[in-house]
Amino acid sequence: MGAFLCIVSESADSLQQPPSEFSIDLKDPRPAPEEEQLYKFISQVLQVSDASLDTLRRYKGCGETIRAAISRPSPETEQAAWAELGPAILQLKGFYDHSIQLGDAFPRLLEFFGTGDIQKNLESNPATAKKMADLLHFVSQFDELKMNNSNLQNDFSFYRRSLQKVRMHGGKNSATGPNMVVDDVMANNMSMFYAQASPMARVIIDCCVYQKSQKGMTNDKILQSLTLLSAVCYNSVRKNIVQGKMVEYCLRVLVMCVVLYDNICTSGSVFMRGSRINIPAYVKLIQSTGGPLSNTLMNSMRYSTIHLNDDNTPESIRNLVMS
């Protein structure tokens, strides 16, 4: 198998542009005066990110009390379910609210770096570039945790069904009915959010599409920003500029750039012949340095992108990604 992968990767390497040598400091960059305002704004948005991840990691769900309320309906079991469900739904709303903030922040980053020469902008404003990477690092972690915890969607589905029962009774809560911690409109929005396999990534993809259609930012500018940021992460790991947890950090951001690029690209894909992102080089880096995280990252590349199985994806690249 190892020899086969070597042959495949060698043939695939020549199909895409060589990885850029572009690099900036991701370890401890200090904001320059011209980036300080945006840097502070993004920092404030990301303040709750670590707490959100901690809350999501500890989220156990309300499955036991919900099952009791369904299988043994009584005032006692229903009251127990709602007592547990109310705080849980507020936590889910907190995650959703944070996604709205990220959806507002990311286009500002694209506009900041996309005005003028993108590479020079990244070089001149490394602290804000690091914040852009921080945002994508959070998105990667959140979506992985969400994908591995079905309790979020199960709890929210039960809550929505209960709202429908409330509407059927004229919108009045019974003594054992749900505490309506989010209204109908918010519940609909949250339902669409949690229905996504990768909800935070979907928010970022949608805001990039909006940036193109409503703000006039070209597709090329967005793709170039993602290409250069992924190159920074690639070179930071390949050249041993970063160590320890920063290796995982860079690999996560690199894969998020690949996923976004492929979802946003309007002509071709990240996997196509001549792509500015060299997928074989990235795959080899992930497999050689990702450790236990490698399979998770490769699954993101396989299943969160949309063009891997297109007819114009070279078979050697498809086989390498799927191997």
Side-chain angles (χ1 to χ4, degrees):
M1 176 62 78
F4 170 75
L5 290 180
C6 182
I7 293 171
V8 170
S9 62
E10 286 176 354
S11 62
D13 279 340
S14 61
L15 297 177
Q16 299 184 314
Q17 296 182 26
S20 168
E21 293 294 325
F22 181 57
S23 185
I24 59 175
D25 178 21
L26 287 179
K27 290 186 290 186
D28 191 28
R30 301 298 180 185
E34 57 269 22
E35 65 178 320
E36 193 165 353
Q37 183 176 358
L38 181 59
Y39 175 86
K40 287 182 177 178
F41 171 76
I42 302 299
S43 297
Q44 186 173 9
V45 169
L46 294 175
Q47 262 187 337
V48 302
S49 294
D50 286 344
S52 294
L53 292 175
D54 288 342
T55 300
L56 183 52
R57 290 187 185 98
R58 296 194 304 268
Y59 191 91
K60 302 300 183 184
C62 310
E64 186 174 341
T65 55
I66 288 174
R67 286 190 292 272
I70 294 173
S71 62
R72 304 189 306 277
S74 70
E76 291 74 23
T77 57
E78 290 178 2
Q79 285 173 356
W82 296 123
E84 190 172 6
L85 192 62
I89 297 302
L90 286 177
Q91 288 182 336
L92 299 186
K93 181 179 181 296
F95 300 148
Y96 174 76
D97 288 342
H98 192 39
S99 78
I100 299 300
Q101 294 176 319
L102 298 180
D104 176 55
F106 198 73
R108 300 193 191 199
L109 289 163
L110 291 176
E111 186 173 357
F112 180 76
F113 290 115
T115 302
D117 187 307
I118 296 174
Q119 182 165 326
K120 287 183 178 178
N121 290 339
L122 288 166
E123 289 173 331
S124 303
N125 304 283
T128 302
K130 174 63 162 56
K131 287 300 175 186
M132 187 174 183
D134 287 347
L135 190 155
L136 295 182
H137 183 240
F138 166 79
V139 169
S140 172
Q141 291 181 95
F142 182 94
D143 284 349
E144 179 188 342
L145 290 169
K146 184 269 179 186
M147 193 175 296
N148 292 323
N149 191 341
S150 61
N151 290 319
L152 281 77
Q153 197 160 353
N154 291 341
D155 291 353
F156 197 73
S157 294
F158 181 80
Y159 179 78
R160 286 207 74 202
R161 290 196 301 270
S162 300
L163 285 184
Q164 292 171 357
K165 290 180 181 179
V166 170
R167 285 198 299 270
M168 289 174 59
H169 290 85
K172 296 180 180 179
N173 288 0
S174 67
T176 59
N179 176 19
M180 295 179 64
V181 292
V182 298
D183 62 25
D184 231 4
V185 174
M186 176 63 73
N188 288 335
N189 292 335
M190 289 173 62
S191 179
M192 289 187 286
F193 175 76
Y194 285 108
Q196 299 290 334
S198 303
M200 289 291 179
R202 186 74 254 169
V203 168
I204 302 302
I205 291 166
D206 289 345
C207 78
C208 289
V209 173
Y210 176 83
Q211 193 75 359
K212 291 190 297 180
S213 63
Q214 301 298 321
K215 299 294 185 179
M217 188 172 189
T218 66
N219 193 68
D220 187 70
K221 288 278 191 181
I222 297 176
L223 297 182
Q224 188 181 356
S225 298
L226 295 170
T227 299
L228 288 171
L229 185 59
S230 72
V232 169
C233 295
Y234 173 80
N235 289 314
S236 294
V237 176
R238 183 177 67 87
K239 298 179 180 180
N240 296 316
I241 297 172
V242 297
Q243 304 291 334
K245 291 184 179 179
M246 279 299 293
V247 172
E248 175 184 326
Y249 172 97
C250 287
L251 293 179
R252 281 188 180 276
V253 176
L254 179 152
V255 171
M256 278 305 310
C257 289
V258 170
V259 169
L260 294 178
Y261 186 113
D262 196 58
N263 277 268
I264 295 163
C265 187
T266 53
S267 58
S269 76
V270 75
F271 303 107
M272 69 180 292
R273 188 184 301 270
S275 170
R276 284 177 285 193
I277 289 183
N278 191 294
I279 292 297
Y282 285 17
V283 168
K284 286 188 285 187
L285 185 73
I286 292 167
Q287 292 175 339
S288 63
T289 64
L293 188 64
S294 296
N295 193 52
T296 296
L297 295 176
M298 289 306 303
N299 280 338
S300 294
M301 195 179 292
R302 291 168 187 138
Y303 306 119
S304 295
T305 54
I306 59 176
H307 292 112
L308 180 60
N309 292 313
D310 286 2
D311 292 339
N312 65 352
T313 296
E315 185 176 358
S316 57
I317 291 180
R318 183 185 301 112
N319 290 341
L320 179 65
V321 173
M322 294 303 298
S323 62

